[in-house]
Amino acid sequence: MTNPYQDDVLRYPQARDHVLRALARILPPSCLIGKPEAMRPYTSDGLPVFSAMPVAVAIPENEQQLSATLRILNDQGVPIVPRGGGTSLSGGAVPHPQGVVLSLARFKSVRWIDPARRLCRAQSGVRNAALSEAAAPHGLFYAPDPSSQIACSLGGNIAENAGGIHCLKYGLTWHNVVSVRLVCADGTVLEVGEETGFDPLPLVVGSEGLLGVVTEATVRLRPIPPCTRLLMAAFSQISHAGAAVAAIIAAGIVPAALELMDHLAIVASEAFCHAGYPQEAQAILLCELDGIEEQVAEDESCVRELLQQHQATSCRAAQNEQERTLFWSGRKAAFPAAGRMAPDYYCMDGSIPRRALAEVLGTINTLGEEYGLNVMNVFHAGDGNLHPVILLDADDPDQLERAQRLGSAILTACLDAGGSITGEHGVGVEKLDEMCAQFSTTERERLLATKQAFDPKEILNPGKGLPTLRRCAEGGALLVRGGQLPHPELERF
Ligand SMILES: Cc1cc2nc3c(=O)[nH]c(=O)nc-3n(C[C@H](O)[C@H](O)[C@H](O)COP(=O)(O)OP(=O)(O)OC[C@H]3O[C@@H](n4cnc5c(N)ncnc54)[C@H](O)[C@@H]3O)c2cc1C
């Protein structure tokens, strides 16, 4: 078990029994877990190479209990890690070993849907997929759709500014959130959003639980499109698929989704889901068009022409809704399907300009060979949001170290191409060192000052999202030490 906080013991010297006694005064027994065996499911998230046993898990039933929990832990300087579905791929929901996990699992009510205004108010523990399920009877849906949507929560989506396959046309979580209810570190409650002028909502969305705990949000709903068409094109070279993506967008077409899978991803997903993918292909593009029938027909003929121009070896349209779901099922299950290729996988998340797709994919391939590890690519090509999935056996310290170094090298390649170190999975504990590469000292000082303004005692998700200035100054933290993954350094800045 890798403890990302192993050097942090001195900073938060809270005794376990003391914390449990304090929480037991405000939470009923059914809302508090303190036994290590019962807390095991909370020790890690979707990036299991990082894990830690918390002091306690609090599962409040309502906002009063949640606010009181924050107040008491803030008074005592105890770290708090908010947790939604626990699907973060950047170690965002990993517990702090001197801290308390604050689960939003009981905040799962959809408060109301207003079909006329196309708005929905829901608690933050509501699953992403449950929002569209609730909106469907009104002919509406919630557009951001991370592939983890059956498990991840609205609060986690807001904290990570989550994306998904349909975000190319409909925007990320940020574009679909109208307001949030935020409980601050000291337990005070803020309604954020729908303001004119200086509105802190843009700070809160994507803040990775560093500024407050989201308990409710109002989100936009959209009409379910009357017509949807999914095309699957195969290519004998991944660079041809990359060029086709750039050409489709350059032609002024905005598909609802435009996803690319490379050969390894095709083979792994096909074995897992039997989606009907052409296994000999070096790449496939899944291009979904939606809207009114005439527009979709026009876009389809234009896309088919562009695919042909870029040497697609075949192009099939899903014949019905069942086949459309099947084509998507392979894409959505690609990460779990990686388990068929190797015991573990390490999913990266970088963004690049679309024009650099072919070049960066080539670099990733070369880097994979250099580090002796296979890399599978399955990603939101239309957004230029890469997800290189490094295949490894994490029980082998040498492979783990090489995977970590390869991941860093891939993110450096994204930065070199004019991109960013994260597209949608956040920084968490995973990309602290890469933050030093992307942001200047002045920019990081401003970000740290913002965190201080909301959370002066630094109890919310300490050691995540923002590297200390010293960590960046030392620079050497980037390197893996003694076969262990790097850990956040939590000195005061
Ligand atoms: C198979 C798989 C596929 C995925 N596909 C996608 C994808 O397509 N697109 C994408 O964007 N991501 C994807 N992810 C990553 C992940 O699902 C998202 O980041 C998601 O938004 C996390 O939501 P969660 O509820 O699980 O949050 P958690 O993992 O519980 O927490 C994530 C972060 O948010 C904070 N947080 C959680 N709830 C709150 C709250 N109420 N208030 C304040 N902070 C909070 C946590 O402290 C943590 O820092 C995928 C993950 C997996 C495992």
Side-chain angles (χ1 to χ4, degrees):
M1 181 186 284
T2 306
N3 171 6
Y5 297 102
Q6 53 201 333
D7 284 355
D8 185 39
V9 180
L10 291 178
R11 180 163 168 198
Y12 298 97
Q14 291 298 325
R16 182 178 171 278
D17 290 347
H18 182 66
V19 173
L20 279 172
R21 268 200 305 276
L23 289 179
R25 280 199 289 276
I26 52 166
L27 295 173
S30 60
C31 296
L32 191 58
I33 306 177
K35 290 207 173 93
E37 60 274 21
M39 291 193 288
R40 194 149 300 280
Y42 298 89
T43 53
S44 61
D45 56 16
L47 183 59
V49 285
F50 296 112
S51 59
M53 182 63 73
V55 168
V57 176
I59 319 174
E61 284 165 337
N62 54 52
E63 196 177 86
Q64 289 74 19
Q65 288 177 355
L66 184 139
S67 170
T69 302
L70 281 168
R71 198 164 45 244
I72 203 159
L73 295 177
N74 185 58
D75 285 349
Q76 301 190 7
V78 178
I80 298 165
V81 176
R83 185 178 178 103
T87 65
S88 167
L89 288 172
S90 57
V94 174
H96 190 290
Q98 268 75 50
V100 171
V101 170
L102 183 58
S103 166
L104 278 297
R106 289 183 173 141
F107 284 62
K108 53 183 183 196
S109 142
V110 174
R111 298 284 198 211
W112 48 256
I113 289 178
D114 182 341
R117 290 196 300 152
R118 294 182 188 156
L119 294 176
C120 169
R121 179 79 171 180
Q123 287 188 301
S124 57
V126 171
R127 288 178 308 111
N128 171 291
L131 292 169
S132 286
E133 283 157 22
H138 305 282
L140 300 169
F141 75 111
Y142 178 62
D145 56 347
S147 300
S148 53
Q149 66 185 146
I150 52 164
C152 67
S153 70
L154 175 59
N157 291 174
I158 292 171
E160 301 284 14
N161 189 17
I165 57 177
H166 287 98
C167 290
L168 173 60
K169 181 168 182 179
Y170 296 108
L172 299 166
T173 300
W174 155 243
H175 301 97
N176 291 279
V177 172
V178 176
S179 66
V180 302
R181 196 167 162 86
L182 188 76
V183 183
C184 299
D186 62 1
T188 51
V189 180
L190 295 179
E191 266 301 329
V192 179
E194 293 186 286
E195 308 285 344
T196 50
F198 194 7
D199 178 0
L201 184 63
L203 283 176
V204 174
V205 180
S207 62
E208 302 195 21
L210 294 171
L211 305 184
V213 180
V214 176
T215 54
E216 284 191 22
T218 303
V219 297
R220 285 180 223 291
L221 300 174
R222 294 170 191 272
I224 296 171
C227 175
T228 304
R229 192 94 166 132
L230 177 58
L231 300 175
M232 175 170 64
F235 295 85
S236 59
Q237 288 186 32
I238 194 166
S239 56
H240 295 163
V245 169
I248 290 169
I249 302 292
I253 296 166
V254 185
L258 187 52
E259 301 281 307
L260 195 155
M261 297 170 73
D262 74 3
H263 181 66
L264 269 182
I266 294 165
V267 173
S269 299
E270 185 59 24
F272 195 62
C273 287
H274 310 292
Y277 294 163
Q279 294 202 63
E280 68 293 349
Q282 287 306 305
I284 58 169
L285 272 186
L286 290 166
C287 177
E288 186 155 285
L289 302 161
D290 70 8
I292 55 166
E293 208 160 328
E294 295 76 3
Q295 183 68 56
V296 171
E298 199 177 304
D299 286 351
E300 181 183 345
S301 91
C302 183
V303 167
R304 279 182 181 275
E305 206 176 304
L306 289 166
L307 291 169
Q308 206 174 10
Q309 278 171 21
H310 289 86
Q311 303 171 56
T313 51
S314 67
C315 180
R316 267 179 71 191
Q319 290 308 302
N320 48 42
E321 190 53 28
Q322 200 185 355
E323 195 171 36
R324 175 176 166 256
T325 308
L326 189 65
F327 283 2
W328 277 133
S329 68
R331 162 61 186 94
K332 291 198 176 194
F335 294 168
R340 301 185 80 91
M341 316 292 281
D344 300 284
Y345 70 87
Y346 181 29
C347 175
M348 308 306 299
D349 166 48
S351 281
I352 55 164
R354 274 181 295 262
R355 63 181 149 68
L357 267 178
E359 180 201 329
V360 176
L361 288 171
T363 307
I364 292 172
N365 193 31
T366 311
L367 286 169
E369 282 168 12
E370 204 178 296
Y371 286 83
L373 291 167
N374 282 323
V375 183
M376 166 180 128
N377 286 288
V378 46
F379 60 96
H380 310 308
D383 304 277
N385 182 191
L386 300 179
H387 289 323
V389 180
I390 302 170
L391 305 174
L392 76 152
D393 178 353
D395 285 339
D396 176 346
D398 174 53
Q399 283 198 36
L400 191 58
E401 179 183 336
R402 275 185 284 134
Q404 177 72 20
R405 288 178 187 276
L406 172 55
S408 254
I410 289 173
L411 293 180
T412 304
C414 292
L415 281 181
D416 290 347
S420 160
I421 58 163
T422 171
E424 55 182 17
H425 294 171
V427 176
V429 288
E430 182 209 9
K431 298 193 198 91
L432 287 167
D433 293 316
E434 286 77 11
M435 284 288 284
C436 306
Q438 180 162 350
F439 293 96
S440 70
T441 307
T442 312
E443 286 165 335
R444 281 182 278 108
E445 273 171 355
R446 293 292 176 272
L447 293 173
L448 289 165
T450 308
K451 161 80 171 155
Q452 275 266 303
F454 276 80
D455 177 20
K457 290 192 173 177
E458 295 168 61
I459 58 155
L460 286 167
N461 259 340
K464 294 182 190 160
L466 293 171
T468 58
L469 296 180
R470 203 185 111 186
R471 183 187 180 105
C472 291
E474 284 177 350
L478 236 178
L479 302 175
V480 177
R481 305 180 190 94
Q484 295 286 301
L485 289 173
H487 54 80
E489 292 170 358
L490 297 162
E491 318 73 17
R492 287 190 180 277
F493 44 88

